[in-house]
Amino acid sequence: MEIASAFDTILTDLAGGGSILWLSLVGVIVIVWDIFRNDARELPWVAGMSVGIALVYEFFKVTDPASTVFFSLIQTGGEASFISVTILLSALFSMILSVPYLKGIGRSYGEIYALMLFATSGMVLLGTANNMVTVFVGLETMSIALYILTGIVRSDEGALESALKYFLLGAFSTGFFLYGIALIYGATGTMYFTEMAIGYSVSELQPLFWVGVALFLVGFLFKVGAVPFHMWTPDVYQGAPTPLTGFMATASKAAAFAALVLVLYHGIGTLDIGGADWQLALALVALVTVVFGNLLALTQDNVKRMLAYSSIAHAGYVLIALAAGTSEAYAGAVYYLLIYALMNIGAFGAIALLEWDGKEGRLQTLDSLAGIGFKKPLIGVTMGVFMFSLTGFPPLGGFFGKLAVFAPAVDAGLTWLAIVGVLASVFSGYYYLRVLYVFWMKPAEDSDPAVQSGTFPVPRSSSIILVTCAVLLLGIGFIPGIRDLTLSFFVPGSFVTLP
Amino acid sequence: MELGNLLNAVIFLPLVGAILMLAAPSDRSVRWFALLVTLGTFLLSIPLWFGFDVASAANLQFLGMEFPLISESLDIRYLVGIDGFSLLLVLLTTFLGPIVVLCSWTYIKESTKGYYVLLLILQTGMTGVFCAFDVLLFYIFFELTLIPMYFLIGIWGGERRIYAAIKFVIYTMVGSLLMLVAILYLGYAAGNAVNDGVFTTNYFKLLSFNVPLGMQTWLFVLFAFAFAIKVPVFPFHTWLPDAHVQAPTGGSVILAGVLLKMGTYGLIRFCLPFFPSASVAHTLLIGILAVIGIVYGALVSRAQTDAKKLVAYSSVSHLGFVVLGIFALTLESIQGAMIQMINHGISTGALFLIVGMLYERRHTRLMSDYGGIARSVPILTFFMVLTALASAGLPGLNGFVGEFLILVGAFSSEAPGMPALTIIATTGVILAAVYLLWMLSRMFFGPLTVEANRNMPDLNRRELVILVPMALLMIVMGLMPQPFLKVSEPAATRLIEIIEEKRAYAEIDDPSLQRTFEMKRRAAQSAPSSPDPTTYQP
């Protein structure tokens, strides 16, 4: 291409990658602002507003046909916008939840919001990538911001430990990932997802390609916290400030899964030969992830750690859909990610509110919260919705999400996987309901004095977020439009391929 | 069309009431409001009885609005209606609504608002279960009942309430989640065969699909397992005594009265017509389990010291009769099972109510803490004796009709081993008389053993209002069972026809012959006189 026309292309494509650029720009503004007026009170507002603007912008692009911009480096419209909405929604909600939380623990740093903006921008880039290099840039932008956010409370040794662990393991997995990309490039000669499948007849693919795919998948599975690459999740989730944990657990997972969906749907998944092999591999990973995630969550006393393990299990449910590998399954995975984000942001938000005295969630046992449901009905009731939804009870969103991932698996002949999946989620019934049992049914005698008096504050902004999440979960399954929208993203031939 | 939306009103009025109730100010107003809503629902449901066309009871009536659920591109729709199997169960649910509210009037002292809100949500779920004609919609209502029940047992229950609540939910979850996988599998298989490849959970489309034999067995097992846990059939019954005993009186009444019927209803509605060959192949196994349940439940009841536990185990025994009747697969036995479901709901519900009333007076359920109280509470004793006799199956009261029909039907059944099983099951009737009369004699008759019971107050007006309609129903249904039996007859006849027709189809091995058979069947269906399982085509 001509350099001169390249500038024209970039200018015309600006709107397509608008939210990524916008978030990075505001991130820079926030950090510069923070230099001159340290920890200014306006910063959370600026950051939140900018995410809100990006959210509205992407929301109206959801029904646009999918296309690519910036020389096919990123996708825009359709599925890309849908996943951006998921990411931005969870970013916005976590920002609102973290303002009172950080004030409560005396850490209202301005740079937190800048870092969240950078992380969000990286996530959107990752979730809308159409090229391996874009995936890598997005992944690293997201990860580096998240490493810092995990250890942002410098005086807390636990947080530092988590951050270091996250950083070291994350860097290690990035190595796998990068090596995988290199091998795939060596085998196919392209970095574009769509070209990988189109340009090369399958018989020509060398073992090199499949080794590359395997390494590449290892990197991804690490980021989404699938067993056996899950070791970092519980520690990191427990150590990080709670609303930021919610952010990590939902947005980063949504972004990584979205990228995986794009790679599989446009690239690797379209290859005939060997398709069954990687499907089986994914199915096995899904199996152990679902089983181990749920079993390990059973034994946790700390709510945050329990939610961390349960998020492993939920990654397993999405992997079930990816293993099925049909259009309906990819649609189900994307749908599930949205619902999962709502459930987990809500659950982490509620837990954040319960750390009223600055005591880290790391130390707070479930039993100290006995009887909180009657003292703070708002937290109790919304937590009830989140827990039942996470368990997958109808008519809550979690049920429809699970339906969307299990049904295609059954259709694709993975009935055994669906059966193991539902049986494992019976375990999840036990540990999620245990939270409700402590909240509503356990006698309050042996609980924390602050719970018994019920004197800790519940900020209005946080209440609004919790109620919003709960109401959305109650109604989302009955809005046919959303499920249909996700199905329409994966209609064959709907995607404009390379120029 | 208008009557159809009447059915929607019956289903959703309690839910609307629950939402409105969140704004109610005081506990007192909450109770009255709940009573108003449940009474209103019951009154609304009365036209269902009178507007129901008994002659075509095999077809779906009171169809209301219909719209796609979840997605436009999947054939999962909101579709409710009533046929001969559902009508009485819906009416039973709405009838028990105000009674449960009244029996909780003074029993529930803490967080009253939450209790009634959950109760109303529960009622919507239960009514929906019996009206849903889309399997996934059925599943949604089926599971919706678990959430309120978990809290009802867990918050307002007895000492071991938490164990009971979690056990109840986990037990039911195992069954229903496995059923969900089976529903998905069936939906895709049926979609490919009869619905142009579109996933479907429409009841009538699934009904018109002849499930291949190999698939039938394990789909049947998954469906039957879920319902067997709910009923509960013998080895899966262990959650029931815990849940029943720990639940507050209102919860026990609902559990016994309606929730258990969701299991037996599911067997009749889905297991038999969807998987007829597998059902017939398993009649002996299920018959044996049912009979074990009948005898075992009765013997364990006899051994109880706790009156509520006795009633709980008697449910295992009574529901064993229902299951036996269903799987005997004769017209009489299925009709008997239908009427026995209603009878059990009324008489066991009343037993729980009376035990609850005694508990409210003396705060104990141990039978040894009572004795000879007939002298201090004669009116309560009268109702207790009547209910116990109805439950034991005394001719002239309702329990007799169901048990008699089930036993007669099962005895004449062609299924292997059924006559022998029936003979053993008959001992259950005798044992029921033994444990119920034994309870009566220990608690109500003889000398007054505990002095504290001497001045126990008799029934007050509220309690009379609860018990009188139930007692009337027991007598009316016992003396004039015809109107109630008539309702389920066409539906049961249709069910047996479908089973036979599908089994005949399955016995044809050659696919080309099957096709011919299919064409003949279609041709026969288009003739107006012949029965047609897919009368209603949405």
Side-chain angles (χ1 to χ4, degrees):
Chain A
M1 79 196 76
E2 303 260 328
I3 292 292
S5 68
F7 278 112
D8 293 342
T9 317
I10 288 173
L11 280 178
T12 48
D13 283 354
L14 270 182
S19 38
I20 300 166
L21 298 171
W22 165 250
L23 290 173
S24 318
L25 183 71
V26 179
V28 172
I29 292 172
V30 167
I31 213 155
V32 172
W33 194 329
D34 193 46
I35 291 170
F36 292 107
R37 292 202 39 210
N38 196 19
D39 304 339
R41 288 176 58 191
E42 298 83 4
L43 293 179
W45 289 103
V46 172
M49 289 295 276
S50 71
V51 174
I53 290 168
L55 178 67
V56 173
Y57 178 65
E58 292 290 343
F59 184 80
F60 284 107
K61 284 205 318 192
V62 159
T63 48
D64 289 358
S67 63
T68 58
V69 287
F70 292 116
F71 312 106
S72 294
L73 286 175
I74 58 172
Q75 302 189 7
T76 177
E79 195 256 343
S81 292
F82 185 83
I83 210 73
S84 306
V85 167
T86 308
I87 293 166
L88 292 166
L89 201 65
S90 84
L92 179 65
F93 284 3
S94 346
M95 275 181 187
I96 297 174
L97 287 169
S98 53
V99 175
Y101 179 85
L102 293 172
K103 198 181 279 170
I105 60 171
R107 311 272 166 184
S108 308
Y109 302 134
E111 56 266 37
I112 289 182
Y113 300 99
L115 285 166
M116 283 179 90
L117 284 174
F118 290 137
T120 312
S121 142
M123 287 166 186
V124 175
L125 187 60
L126 173 63
T128 60
N130 193 39
N131 178 297
M132 288 292 187
V133 175
T134 321
V135 170
F136 180 70
V137 172
L139 196 67
E140 284 308 286
T141 315
M142 167 185 102
S143 299
I144 291 169
L146 289 183
Y147 299 148
I148 306 170
L149 280 175
T150 309
I152 198 84
V153 184
R154 284 186 293 271
S155 55
D156 181 4
E157 282 178 23
L160 290 183
E161 186 195 325
S162 320
L164 190 64
K165 202 177 238 169
Y166 192 18
F167 172 62
L168 289 177
L169 286 173
F172 195 56
S173 81
T174 307
F176 275 101
F177 183 78
L178 211 49
Y179 201 19
I181 292 182
L183 292 183
I184 293 174
Y185 182 68
T188 63
T190 179
M191 286 286 189
Y192 293 97
F193 302 160
T194 33
E195 274 190 352
M196 269 180 220
I198 296 167
Y200 286 81
S201 86
V202 179
S203 54
E204 286 171 26
L205 294 173
Q206 303 101 334
L208 193 65
F209 178 76
W210 291 112
V211 174
V213 170
L215 291 174
F216 170 81
L217 280 182
V218 167
F220 259 123
L221 293 176
F222 175 88
K223 286 293 170 201
V224 300
V227 178
F229 313 105
H230 67 286
M231 306 300 183
W232 59 277
T233 10
D235 293 328
V236 171
Y237 282 14
Q238 198 178 3
T242 311
L244 299 181
T245 310
F247 179 54
M248 272 186 246
T250 55
S252 78
K253 211 165 255 192
F257 265 122
L260 196 51
V261 166
L262 292 177
V263 174
L264 292 176
Y265 178 66
H266 293 297
I268 307 169
T270 53
L271 303 173
D272 291 337
I273 293 181
D277 296 339
W278 66 258
Q279 276 197 351
L280 186 65
L282 272 185
L284 288 177
V285 172
L287 177 83
V288 289
T289 306
V290 167
V291 171
F292 276 88
N294 278 317
L295 283 181
L296 292 171
L298 268 185
T299 56
Q300 305 305 323
D301 284 329
N302 175 282
V303 193
K304 253 169 105 177
R305 206 172 169 83
M306 184 276 279
L307 284 175
Y309 278 109
S310 90
S311 82
I312 297 176
H314 284 277
Y317 299 138
V318 182
L319 283 172
I320 289 180
L322 297 191
T326 57
S327 300
E328 202 188 326
Y330 293 131
V334 173
Y335 183 66
Y336 192 87
L337 288 173
L338 174 67
I339 288 172
Y340 170 77
L342 290 175
M343 300 191 284
N344 253 22
I345 283 285
F348 278 110
I351 295 301
L353 285 182
L354 295 176
E355 293 169 26
W356 54 86
D357 50 0
K359 189 159 62 171
E360 268 300 301
R362 212 147 34 80
L363 308 172
Q364 195 172 46
T365 61
L366 190 52
D367 287 348
S368 70
L369 301 174
I372 193 100
F374 289 106
K375 296 288 177 198
K376 296 284 174 197
L378 182 115
I379 299 180
V381 171
T382 50
M383 198 65 170
V385 174
F386 302 140
M387 289 297 128
F388 272 110
S389 182
L390 283 163
T391 320
F393 271 97
L396 302 169
F399 167 73
F400 294 99
K402 270 192 186 154
L403 197 67
V405 295
F406 282 131
V410 171
D411 191 29
L414 294 173
T415 311
W416 55 274
L417 188 58
I419 287 181
V420 175
V422 296
L423 285 181
S425 65
V426 172
F427 289 108
S428 76
Y430 180 78
Y431 58 75
Y432 287 131
L433 295 192
R434 209 165 65 116
V435 173
L436 296 184
Y437 138 64
V438 171
F439 272 36
W440 287 102
M441 298 167 198
K442 199 171 157 61
E445 286 98 47
D446 40 354
S447 69
D448 202 286
V451 174
Q452 289 184 32
S453 58
T455 48
F456 59 92
V458 177
R460 187 173 295 165
S461 58
S462 306
S463 318
I464 292 171
I465 296 298
L466 292 191
V467 171
T468 311
C469 286
V471 169
L472 282 174
L473 285 172
L474 278 167
I476 199 164
F478 297 106
I479 309 168
I482 299 180
R483 188 73 208 286
D484 284 333
L485 191 66
T486 58
L487 285 169
S488 74
F489 297 148
F490 296 94
V491 174
S494 72
F495 184 65
V496 186
T497 45
L498 284 176
Chain B
M1 220 35 202
E2 275 177 19
L3 282 174
N5 291 324
L6 175 78
L7 183 60
N8 282 321
V10 170
I11 297 174
F12 287 106
L13 183 64
L15 187 66
V16 173
I19 293 166
L20 289 180
M21 195 187 277
L22 291 172
S26 70
D27 284 356
R28 201 183 151 75
S29 66
V30 160
R31 291 187 308 203
W32 282 103
F33 186 70
L35 184 66
L36 195 75
V37 171
T38 46
L39 260 183
T41 314
F42 177 58
L43 292 178
L44 270 180
S45 71
I46 289 176
L48 295 178
W49 171 258
F50 290 106
F52 189 79
D53 179 10
V54 178
S56 58
N59 298 328
L60 209 50
Q61 302 183 19
F62 299 106
L63 282 163
M65 53 182 171
E66 192 193 337
F67 53 86
L69 216 59
I70 303 176
S71 165
E72 304 271 358
S73 58
L74 302 173
D75 193 12
I76 304 169
R77 301 176 78 80
Y78 177 84
L79 170 62
V80 292
I82 280 189
D83 76 350
F85 288 139
S86 339
L87 175 66
L88 288 178
L89 287 165
V90 170
L91 289 174
L92 177 71
T93 311
T94 55
F95 170 72
L96 286 178
I99 286 183
V100 169
V101 171
L102 278 174
C103 85
S104 315
W105 207 256
T106 51
Y107 187 90
I108 301 300
K109 295 188 179 69
E110 286 166 353
S111 19
T112 331
K113 192 194 267 186
Y115 179 86
Y116 289 108
V117 167
L118 291 169
L119 213 55
L120 291 178
I121 296 175
L122 185 60
Q123 190 169 347
T124 288
M126 295 185 301
T127 322
V129 161
F130 299 124
C131 302
F133 276 81
D134 181 287
V135 185
L136 209 78
L137 183 67
F138 169 84
Y139 182 86
I140 290 173
F141 281 125
F142 190 79
E143 292 276 279
L144 178 62
T145 58
L146 277 185
I147 301 176
M149 209 57 211
Y150 172 71
F151 287 109
L152 286 182
I153 299 175
I155 299 181
W156 292 275
E159 309 83 50
R160 279 159 53 76
R161 58 184 192 272
I162 287 147
Y163 172 76
I166 291 189
K167 191 171 177 182
F168 167 71
V169 172
I170 299 284
Y171 235 110
T172 319
M173 250 182 98
V174 175
S176 50
L177 281 173
L178 287 174
M179 181 171 77
L180 179 64
V181 177
I183 291 174
L184 295 176
Y185 193 92
L186 184 66
Y188 280 110
N192 286 327
V194 297
N195 201 31
D196 305 327
V198 178
F199 176 83
T200 181
T201 51
N202 183 299
Y203 180 75
F204 298 96
K205 286 182 183 158
L206 294 181
L207 200 61
S208 66
F209 169 53
N210 281 301
V211 187
L213 280 185
M215 209 195 280
Q216 263 194 36
T217 309
W218 71 266
L219 285 179
F220 171 79
V221 168
L222 292 184
F223 268 81
F225 180 62
F227 295 133
I229 287 175
K230 199 84 198 179
V231 172
V233 176
F234 164 65
F236 314 115
H237 67 281
T238 56
W239 64 267
L240 178 129
D242 290 310
H244 264 319
V245 173
Q246 299 305 326
T249 306
S252 304
V253 174
I254 287 188
L255 254 179
V258 184
L259 286 186
L260 304 187
K261 275 54 179 200
M262 291 171 13
T264 43
Y265 172 82
L267 288 173
I268 290 190
R269 172 70 68 207
F270 302 113
C271 273
L272 294 187
F274 285 180
F275 321 113
S277 302
S279 303
V280 171
H282 289 84
T283 40
L284 186 63
L285 174 72
I286 293 180
I288 289 173
L289 292 180
V291 170
I292 294 177
I294 293 173
V295 177
Y296 169 86
L299 289 176
V300 177
S301 289
R302 172 63 183 78
Q304 296 306 317
T305 52
D306 180 324
K308 205 171 179 186
K309 244 185 175 153
L310 184 147
V311 182
Y313 274 106
S314 82
S315 282
V316 177
S317 183
H318 282 124
L319 268 296
F321 278 106
V322 177
V323 174
L324 183 74
I326 293 172
F327 278 86
L329 290 174
T330 60
L331 183 61
E332 294 83 17
S333 72
I334 288 179
Q335 279 194 272
M338 279 313 299
I339 200 89
Q340 179 69 359
M341 286 188 214
I342 310 299
N343 292 337
H344 176 262
I346 294 168
S347 54
T348 306
L351 283 176
F352 274 121
L353 286 169
I354 296 173
V355 172
M357 288 169 189
L358 287 174
Y359 180 79
E360 263 194 275
R361 288 170 167 74
R362 291 276 289 110
H363 294 282
T364 172
R365 290 187 296 254
L366 289 180
M367 283 187 268
S368 53
D369 288 336
Y370 299 93
I373 56 171
R375 233 156 295 184
S376 47
V377 283
I379 307 175
L380 187 145
T381 310
F382 165 76
F383 282 107
M384 186 63 173
V385 172
L386 181 79
T387 313
L389 291 178
S391 181
L394 185 82
L397 295 171
N398 61 353
F400 173 74
V401 184
E403 281 180 4
F404 182 76
L405 276 175
I406 289 171
L407 292 172
V408 168
F411 195 73
S412 64
S413 167
E414 291 161 10
M418 262 309 159
L421 286 174
T422 315
I423 292 169
I424 307 173
T426 312
T427 61
V429 183
I430 303 163
L431 288 172
V434 170
Y435 63 76
L436 284 166
L437 295 179
W438 173 73
M439 177 183 75
L440 284 184
S441 74
R442 270 192 77 183
M443 290 177 71
F444 293 90
F445 299 108
L448 193 75
T449 48
V450 181
E451 203 48 38
N453 291 335
R454 188 174 296 281
N455 294 321
M456 194 155 58
D458 208 341
L459 295 185
N460 58 29
R461 249 182 304 169
R462 176 179 58 84
E463 289 165 329
L464 275 175
V465 170
I466 297 173
L467 288 178
V468 167
M470 299 197 94
L472 281 179
L473 265 182
M474 287 178 216
I475 297 167
V476 169
M477 288 182 72
L479 295 177
M480 295 192 303
Q482 268 314 319
F484 302 95
L485 284 172
K486 239 178 17 200
V487 172
S488 65
E489 191 181 338
T493 317
R494 169 78 54 86
L495 175 66
I496 290 170
E497 278 166 8
I498 290 175
I499 292 172
E500 280 170 3
E501 193 179 312
K502 281 195 174 181
R503 285 184 64 212
Y505 176 82
E507 273 166 22
I508 310 169
D509 287 333
D510 189 358
S512 62
L513 279 178
Q514 275 190 344
R515 214 168 299 129
T516 329
F517 183 88
E518 185 89 330
M519 281 161 66
K520 270 189 198 154
R521 192 172 68 103
R522 294 245 169 86
Q525 273 174 15
S526 52
S529 59
S530 69
D532 176 9
T534 54
T535 304
Y536 170 73
Q537 290 286 5

